[in-house]
Amino acid sequence: MPTRGHGHPLDATVQSLLAEYRGDPAPAGGPPELSEVAWCVETLRLALFPRLLGRVEPAEWLRRTLPELESRLAAQIAAAYRMADTLDAESARDRALTSTGALLAALPSIRALLLTDIEAAYRGDPAARSKDEVLLCYPGFFALSAHRIAHELSRANVPLLPRMIGEYAHRLTGIDIHPGAQIGSGFFIDHGTGVVIGETTVIGKHCKIYQGVTLGAKSFDREPDGSLRKGYKRHPTLEDDVTVYAGATILGGETVIGAGAVVAGGVFLTTSVPAGHAVHGPRTELTLRARGDAL
Amino acid sequence: MPTRGHGHPLDATVQSLLAEYRGDPAPAGGPPELSEVAWCVETLRLALFPRLLGRVEPAEWLRRTLPELESRLAAQIAAAYRMADTLDAESARDRALTSTGALLAALPSIRALLLTDIEAAYRGDPAARSKDEVLLCYPGFFALSAHRIAHELSRANVPLLPRMIGEYAHRLTGIDIHPGAQIGSGFFIDHGTGVVIGETTVIGKHCKIYQGVTLGAKSFDREPDGSLRKGYKRHPTLEDDVTVYAGATILGGETVIGAGAVVAGGVFLTTSVPAGHAVHGPRTELTLRARGDAL
Amino acid sequence: MPTRGHGHPLDATVQSLLAEYRGDPAPAGGPPELSEVAWCVETLRLALFPRLLGRVEPAEWLRRTLPELESRLAAQIAAAYRMADTLDAESARDRALTSTGALLAALPSIRALLLTDIEAAYRGDPAARSKDEVLLCYPGFFALSAHRIAHELSRANVPLLPRMIGEYAHRLTGIDIHPGAQIGSGFFIDHGTGVVIGETTVIGKHCKIYQGVTLGAKSFDREPDGSLRKGYKRHPTLEDDVTVYAGATILGGETVIGAGAVVAGGVFLTTSVPAGHAVHGPRTELTLRARGDAL
């Protein structure tokens, strides 16, 4: 072995890894694949916004691409059903085709929602030159496109895949929206890096949030056996026309930010805010010192 | 249809999507493509830093690659002119070749600037082992390379593309620099995730900022018709040798941080700071409680 | 030149770039390549978690893939030794094979650690439906997989490459862990965007941190010549069972957060916390105003 002069025991590594694997549950089919999930999301975005396709004739493109999309998306959903719900191959494929069909049928209404999000971004950001700029460049809009698709699959109780779609968008944008979150029309996330929107968040129409905003859980209830209680409302509600500025944190399932309210940047909130009010933290007293002093 | 046993109406989806598309403006050529934009940015970085190329002879590489780069970048810029300024194909190509030529001619001066940024990162971070580490690994340096390219195109009034380049870097680094921002030599962004630098920000020489710093707008003026006023100075100015620690927020077009000033972590600033001063928030009183108390 | 009608001097650009390059040190071999580093990390993750492989028979896959992994990883490590330590080709390859062998031999123990991290995420997050969801989707777990690999290479004094692996994970997750950081078993990073964990941080067992947490340096010591002092403990220590909530900042090499302590969200800490205590900031007084007031 001229290229491995140090007596490195590759076979020993193989053996010890195989020994380590023994505790693993036997795989039922393969897991959903991130690269396929990414292809499905990008292709769904093209189907929603043929303007991204350019000169291609949309009718022809749809007729050619939708059957392929249906088959590749159904394969990923089937893999999720097999892995998470341990369905047999046939039942998994069956349910996957139903879920896929439901998502494709919902595309026109998802598109209608996303058009309101583009409008909101264009109106809400003085730096936006055109709606095409929002469509092509805005990470908040990308994250919302992925979310509205993932949320549809989540409502249909598809396991794993909605979360993979959400995390695909999180990777690309730094915006972490759990697929369970319910988000009304005309939502605008500006800049977006660091935004976290928890699973049971409810957001009304025409809301706007900035980078670093957390809509999170206050603390976790526990079951009698000490494990975390799952599946109850842990995250806040924003009613219509709420604005939350950068870095604000709003926690708790019973926290309601009333219609038209504004939450100032950096505020930490665990209680409700009445409609039509603005919430500020204390005016911070800043101290100026000539440099040379220790920082 | 054995693989689609649930009577899923794929044709109905095609029809309803086509109906939905009817409101879209007719596409003029295709939009710029993100994958091409990414290739152009990565290739420009190789042309700026042949050390990234390794053993390849730079002269030969440049002679072979620059014509391809010119042609692919010009194609993307032309697509942007067509889409955003609705130029006809010939005028778009014409202007694109001029803009591309100007960018390529500016590469030596962009490289000179970026060398000062590498130097600043190497001197400013105790964890930096070498300048190669900065060049190969530092996300702040990656974001600045992309920004200095995007800013050059932005100054030439190229639409859409500078923003796509900025958002490509934002995806990879979590650092969101609007291509309009003016940034002096020797700039260092450490860690960088969550940094936002707005369109009309002006930054002097030898400044340093950390993760989560926002240089943003205070509030938005509106036109008489209620729409947002666009295109005036909304973001702050940092003079030379300013340091802004992690998570600080500095807002407003008239906010000037004087030369040599230091802004402490987490500070929220909407007023100017005189040169040579350090700004701190109040010493926060922390409360210690034995655990078991409610959090 | 029909496609270049504006007399753009491409040759002049080549000449001026070549003149600019003259200051560069001569390259010794090529630098490590990010795409290869990415392939190695993803393949190591498959070797650690064959559940990600799906139906493929793990024994066969390992016997086929491990030799390729060894050779491609060794090539990247050799490139790093050549570039950073200016070793000649043969010594670089020699040392690279030793380092690669050591990493591969450590895979079983890395896997054992990562299984405790999966367990911690599953138990610590009410939104987690299964351990497979953690393995497939959680960015904090992805960042830790990459970190535990990078840290092993870092302990073997491999230059550049550990940092490239860390930054590969930073790109994908927004979580910035320096490869030097020492992290105990059962660590859980939830959401994760904006997390920064510095080079000399030490973290005990069963700790949990949330998005936007910084474990950083307080200020930098300088050498007598004015350059930054490098290589001493600049970052904090978390003992076992510590929880740090979103956006908290803990700075300084002598700052120790005692076992079982809890640090509240947004707290800024530069002093130690005794074991078993919770640290809170002041209860912020929020001001409510009816809208229409200036923000």
Side-chain angles (χ1 to χ4, degrees):
Chain A
M1 280 188 299
T3 58
R4 215 181 299 146
H6 300 273
H8 161 57
L10 208 50
D11 288 345
T13 300
V14 170
Q15 291 312 320
S16 58
L17 278 172
L18 289 174
E20 270 285 328
Y21 294 165
R22 257 157 226 157
D24 282 10
E33 288 174 55
L34 187 54
S35 59
E36 280 296 291
V37 169
W39 183 87
C40 290
V41 171
E42 300 294 347
T43 305
L44 283 163
R45 276 171 52 87
L46 293 174
L48 290 165
F49 298 102
R51 193 149 173 81
L52 294 170
L53 284 174
R55 246 168 314 191
V56 183
E57 217 276 292
E60 190 199 312
W61 182 87
L62 278 180
R63 286 198 191 93
R64 196 177 62 230
T65 310
L66 239 49
E68 181 183 359
L69 175 62
E70 181 186 47
S71 133
R72 290 171 71 170
L73 181 55
Q76 296 306 307
I77 295 179
Y81 278 126
R82 293 203 67 186
M83 188 175 219
D85 299 348
T86 59
L87 295 190
D88 63 82
E90 197 175 342
S91 315
R93 208 197 53 190
D94 239 45
R95 290 185 58 180
L97 283 165
T98 308
S99 313
T100 306
L103 175 66
L104 295 180
L107 287 182
S109 63
I110 291 175
R111 176 178 144 99
L113 267 176
L114 287 169
L115 289 175
T116 68
D117 300 325
I118 292 180
E119 181 76 25
Y122 178 62
R123 281 162 166 271
D125 180 9
R129 297 279 192 284
S130 66
K131 292 187 191 173
D132 279 331
E133 191 178 312
V134 175
L135 177 61
L136 283 169
C137 307
Y138 275 49
F141 179 69
F142 186 94
L144 268 177
S145 326
H147 173 71
R148 297 204 185 280
I149 292 163
H151 182 64
E152 195 68 30
L153 292 173
S154 168
R155 292 202 317 145
N157 292 315
V158 173
L160 282 176
L161 215 68
R163 188 71 187 252
M164 288 181 79
I165 293 173
E167 286 299 332
Y168 172 65
H170 186 191
R171 280 192 172 196
L172 296 184
T173 64
I175 298 168
D176 181 351
I177 312 179
H178 194 286
Q182 296 168 42
I183 301 181
S185 60
F187 189 49
F188 175 36
I189 306 171
D190 202 2
H191 308 297
T193 309
V195 162
V196 173
I197 300 178
E199 181 179 15
T200 62
T201 304
V202 177
I203 297 178
K205 296 176 184 171
H206 309 301
C207 290
K208 174 156 84 163
I209 70 175
Y210 286 80
Q211 71 272 19
V213 165
T214 292
L215 307 177
K218 202 153 46 175
S219 65
F220 301 141
D221 290 354
R222 290 190 179 272
E223 301 291 352
D225 68 356
S227 68
L228 290 176
R229 210 179 124 213
K230 307 203 169 197
Y232 65 103
K233 189 167 191 323
R234 308 181 301 281
H235 307 94
T237 296
L238 311 190
E239 292 181 352
D240 297 345
D241 301 300
V242 167
T243 300
V244 185
Y245 284 103
T249 300
I250 306 176
L251 306 182
E254 288 163 28
T255 305
V256 177
I257 311 301
V262 172
V263 179
V267 164
F268 187 91
L269 254 184
T270 54
T271 52
S272 294
V273 173
H277 281 71
V279 195
H280 300 254
R283 190 171 299 268
T284 326
E285 276 176 54
L286 298 174
T287 312
L288 266 184
R289 278 190 287 193
R291 289 292 305 287
D293 298 26
L295 292 177
Chain B
M1 279 189 299
T3 59
R4 214 182 298 145
H6 300 274
H8 162 57
L10 209 50
D11 288 344
T13 300
V14 170
Q15 290 312 319
S16 58
L17 278 171
L18 289 174
E20 270 285 328
Y21 294 166
R22 256 157 225 157
D24 281 11
E33 286 174 57
L34 187 54
S35 59
E36 280 295 292
V37 169
W39 183 88
C40 290
V41 171
E42 300 294 347
T43 306
L44 283 163
R45 275 171 53 86
L46 293 175
L48 290 165
F49 298 102
R51 193 147 173 83
L52 294 170
L53 283 174
R55 247 168 314 191
V56 183
E57 217 276 290
E60 190 198 312
W61 183 88
L62 278 180
R63 286 197 192 93
R64 196 177 62 230
T65 310
L66 239 49
E68 180 183 359
L69 175 61
E70 181 186 47
S71 132
R72 289 171 72 171
L73 181 55
Q76 296 307 306
I77 295 179
Y81 278 127
R82 293 202 67 186
M83 188 175 219
D85 299 348
T86 59
L87 295 189
D88 64 81
E90 198 176 341
S91 316
R93 208 199 52 188
D94 239 45
R95 290 186 58 180
L97 283 165
T98 308
S99 314
T100 305
L103 175 66
L104 295 180
L107 287 182
S109 62
I110 291 175
R111 177 178 143 98
L113 267 176
L114 287 169
L115 288 176
T116 68
D117 300 327
I118 291 179
E119 180 75 25
Y122 177 63
R123 281 163 166 271
D125 180 9
R129 296 282 192 282
S130 66
K131 293 186 192 174
D132 279 332
E133 191 178 314
V134 175
L135 177 61
L136 283 169
C137 307
Y138 275 48
F141 178 70
F142 185 94
L144 268 177
S145 327
H147 172 71
R148 297 204 185 280
I149 293 163
H151 183 63
E152 194 68 30
L153 293 173
S154 169
R155 292 201 317 144
N157 292 314
V158 173
L160 282 175
L161 215 68
R163 188 70 185 253
M164 288 180 80
I165 293 173
E167 286 299 332
Y168 172 64
H170 186 191
R171 279 192 173 196
L172 295 185
T173 65
I175 298 168
D176 180 351
I177 311 179
H178 193 287
Q182 297 168 44
I183 301 181
S185 60
F187 189 50
F188 175 36
I189 306 171
D190 203 1
H191 308 298
T193 308
V195 162
V196 173
I197 300 179
E199 181 179 14
T200 62
T201 304
V202 176
I203 297 178
K205 296 176 183 171
H206 309 301
C207 290
K208 174 156 85 162
I209 71 175
Y210 286 81
Q211 70 272 19
V213 165
T214 292
L215 307 177
K218 200 151 51 174
S219 66
F220 301 141
D221 291 355
R222 291 190 178 272
E223 301 290 353
D225 69 354
S227 68
L228 289 175
R229 208 179 126 214
K230 306 204 169 195
Y232 65 104
K233 189 167 191 323
R234 307 182 301 283
H235 308 93
T237 296
L238 311 189
E239 294 181 351
D240 296 346
D241 301 299
V242 167
T243 300
V244 185
Y245 284 102
T249 299
I250 306 177
L251 306 181
E254 288 163 28
T255 305
V256 177
I257 312 301
V262 171
V263 178
V267 164
F268 188 92
L269 255 184
T270 55
T271 53
S272 294
V273 174
H277 281 71
V279 194
H280 299 254
R283 191 171 299 268
T284 325
E285 276 176 53
L286 298 174
T287 312
L288 266 184
R289 278 190 287 194
R291 289 292 306 287
D293 298 26
L295 293 176
Chain C
M1 279 188 298
T3 58
R4 216 181 298 145
H6 300 272
H8 162 56
L10 209 50
D11 288 343
T13 300
V14 170
Q15 290 312 319
S16 58
L17 278 172
L18 289 174
E20 271 284 329
Y21 294 165
R22 258 158 224 156
D24 282 11
E33 287 173 57
L34 187 55
S35 60
E36 280 296 292
V37 170
W39 183 88
C40 290
V41 171
E42 300 294 346
T43 305
L44 283 163
R45 275 171 52 87
L46 293 174
L48 290 164
F49 297 102
R51 195 150 171 80
L52 294 170
L53 284 174
R55 246 168 314 189
V56 183
E57 217 276 291
E60 190 200 312
W61 183 87
L62 278 179
R63 287 198 191 92
R64 197 177 61 230
T65 309
L66 240 50
E68 180 183 359
L69 176 61
E70 181 187 46
S71 132
R72 290 172 71 171
L73 181 54
Q76 296 307 307
I77 294 179
Y81 278 127
R82 293 203 67 186
M83 188 175 220
D85 299 347
T86 59
L87 295 190
D88 64 81
E90 198 175 341
S91 315
R93 207 198 52 188
D94 239 45
R95 290 186 58 181
L97 283 166
T98 309
S99 313
T100 305
L103 175 67
L104 295 180
L107 287 182
S109 64
I110 291 176
R111 177 178 143 99
L113 267 177
L114 288 169
L115 288 176
T116 68
D117 300 325
I118 291 179
E119 181 76 25
Y122 177 63
R123 281 162 166 271
D125 180 9
R129 296 280 191 284
S130 66
K131 292 187 191 174
D132 278 332
E133 191 178 313
V134 175
L135 177 61
L136 283 169
C137 307
Y138 275 49
F141 179 69
F142 185 94
L144 268 177
S145 327
H147 172 72
R148 298 204 184 279
I149 293 163
H151 182 63
E152 195 67 32
L153 293 172
S154 168
R155 291 202 318 145
N157 292 313
V158 173
L160 281 176
L161 215 69
R163 188 70 185 252
M164 288 180 78
I165 293 173
E167 286 299 332
Y168 172 65
H170 186 191
R171 279 192 174 197
L172 295 184
T173 64
I175 298 168
D176 180 351
I177 312 179
H178 194 287
Q182 296 167 43
I183 301 180
S185 61
F187 189 50
F188 175 36
I189 305 171
D190 202 2
H191 307 298
T193 309
V195 162
V196 173
I197 300 178
E199 182 179 14
T200 61
T201 304
V202 177
I203 297 177
K205 296 176 184 171
H206 308 300
C207 291
K208 174 156 84 163
I209 70 175
Y210 286 80
Q211 71 272 19
V213 165
T214 293
L215 306 177
K218 201 151 49 174
S219 66
F220 301 141
D221 291 355
R222 290 189 178 273
E223 302 291 352
D225 69 354
S227 68
L228 289 176
R229 210 178 123 213
K230 307 204 168 195
Y232 65 103
K233 189 167 192 322
R234 307 181 301 281
H235 308 93
T237 296
L238 311 190
E239 293 181 352
D240 297 346
D241 301 299
V242 167
T243 301
V244 185
Y245 284 102
T249 300
I250 306 176
L251 306 182
E254 289 163 28
T255 306
V256 177
I257 311 302
V262 172
V263 179
V267 164
F268 188 91
L269 254 184
T270 55
T271 51
S272 294
V273 174
H277 281 71
V279 195
H280 299 253
R283 191 170 298 268
T284 325
E285 276 176 55
L286 298 174
T287 312
L288 265 184
R289 277 190 288 194
R291 287 294 303 288
D293 298 26
L295 293 177

